[in-house]
Amino acid sequence: MTLNTFMSEAFVEARRALSVGEVPVGCVFVYQGNVIARGANEVNATKNATRHAEFICIDQILEYCRNNGLLAEKVFPEISVVVTVEPCIMCSAALHDLRVKEIIYGCANDRFGGKTVVDVPQVVNYSLKVQGGICADEAMELLKEFYKGENPSAPVAKSKR
Amino acid sequence: MTLNTFMSEAFVEARRALSVGEVPVGCVFVYQGNVIARGANEVNATKNATRHAEFICIDQILEYCRNNGLLAEKVFPEISVVVTVEPCIMCSAALHDLRVKEIIYGCANDRFGGKTVVDVPQVVNYSLKVQGGICADEAMELLKEFYKGENPSAPVAKSKR
């Protein structure tokens, strides 16, 4: 599968989040060419402000490792994180701590971005490969649709659901 | 109970972490004058680099809320986080997201601190009360003991266990 295919799967998650009133950010974790974790924001459903898509996937990876007799510290460094929006400062720090292989994201996170707003790699003194701008417009459209709020009849909103 | 009493409870957790080979950081969450969550680093035990003391406590609070029919978004804003070392950038961002009442910490975290190294409050555009320097020397001694590593017979190490 190609990068765009993986990003498409992340968008499936993001749209699912939007449909249930969550901030539309979706994520998949790719290991050895396969998606082994997928998630979206669950902040509202869980009333837990830390349940971002990336943390949902991190927990799935740990379960995957337990179920398959794998060591998480060997698996994370082979994982590509594909996420529709640049990880926030919290998630970026977590992904650096976990030493994932790379982060590939859609649009920048101008408010809380772990690279755009704060240079997390510099803070933690460790750089992993980060590539942004993949399907950025589509990612931003989803965010705009969410923050537009009470206007479900807008053309953009309709076409995205 | 006083602040120093709560910090003493956090140190109990930190020393427990040290005794099992974890980075010695301990934390308690105080709600309406009572400790309702306590934890220490579990990074090595869980092989999960995100299991810092603060995240352990966050999960306990969510369980506490479920068990007592309380809304987490009402409880977190009344919680004082008492932690032996300044929260890292990841934890600080999470605690700000959760809108805890205040953070009280021991020694500064010169490498990854969510205030010392990065100004998380400025990034998230929200400030909560943060007070550092409570029993800072003791907190730093524990860290030094851990990073000293393979010298369990050193006088400081013995007296701390």
Side-chain angles (χ1 to χ4, degrees), chain A residues 46-50 52 55 58-59 62 71-73 76 88-91 93-95 97-98 111-113 117-118 120 123-125, chain B residues 46-50 52 55 58-59 62 71-73 76 88-91 93-95 97-98 111-113 117-118 120 123-125:
Chain A
T46 60
K47 308 285 186 198
N48 179 349
T50 71
H52 289 186
F55 269 82
I58 289 169
D59 285 352
L62 292 164
L71 292 172
E73 64 265 43
F76 278 114
C88 76
I89 180 175
M90 172 185 73
C91 291
L95 294 170
D97 278 352
L98 292 164
R111 291 177 67 201
F112 307 119
V117 180
V118 175
V120 169
V123 172
V124 300
N125 197 26
Chain B
T46 60
K47 308 285 186 197
N48 179 350
T50 73
H52 289 186
F55 269 82
I58 288 169
D59 284 352
L62 292 163
L71 292 172
E73 64 265 42
F76 277 114
C88 77
I89 180 173
M90 173 184 73
C91 291
L95 295 170
D97 278 352
L98 292 164
R111 291 177 66 200
F112 307 119
V117 181
V118 175
V120 169
V123 172
V124 301
N125 196 26

Side-chain angles (χ1 to χ4, degrees), chain B residues 16-24 44 146 161:
Chain B
R16 186 172 59 80
L18 182 64
S19 72
V20 294
E22 301 277 357
V23 176
N44 292 330
F146 177 82
R161 291 192 186 215

Side-chain angles (χ1 to χ4, degrees), chain B residues 62-152:
Chain B
L62 292 163
E63 190 180 353
Y64 175 88
C65 290
R66 280 194 298 272
N67 292 345
N68 293 279
L70 297 169
L71 292 172
E73 64 265 42
K74 302 277 188 192
V75 172
F76 277 114
E78 289 189 49
I79 281 180
S80 299
V81 172
V82 182
V83 56
T84 58
V85 178
E86 180 191 8
C88 77
I89 180 173
M90 173 184 73
C91 291
S92 178
L95 295 170
H96 280 79
D97 278 352
L98 292 164
R99 299 284 188 259
V100 300
K101 180 179 165 190
E102 61 184 344
I103 300 172
I104 295 149
Y105 67 82
C107 66
N109 183 337
D110 292 331
R111 291 177 66 200
F112 307 119
K115 178 72 185 175
T116 297
V117 181
V118 175
D119 191 350
V120 169
Q122 188 181 40
V123 172
V124 301
N125 196 26
Y126 173 79
S127 276
L128 47 84
K129 192 177 154 198
V130 178
Q131 184 183 0
I134 311 297
C135 309
D137 291 346
E138 186 174 357
M140 187 56 76
E141 281 301 319
L142 284 179
L143 292 178
K144 283 182 185 167
E145 185 175 340
F146 177 82
Y147 286 110
K148 191 165 43 189
E150 309 305 314
N151 187 8

Side-chain angles (χ1 to χ4, degrees), chain A residues 118-129:
Chain A
V118 175
D119 191 349
V120 169
Q122 189 182 39
V123 172
V124 300
N125 197 26
Y126 175 78
S127 277
L128 46 84
K129 192 178 154 196

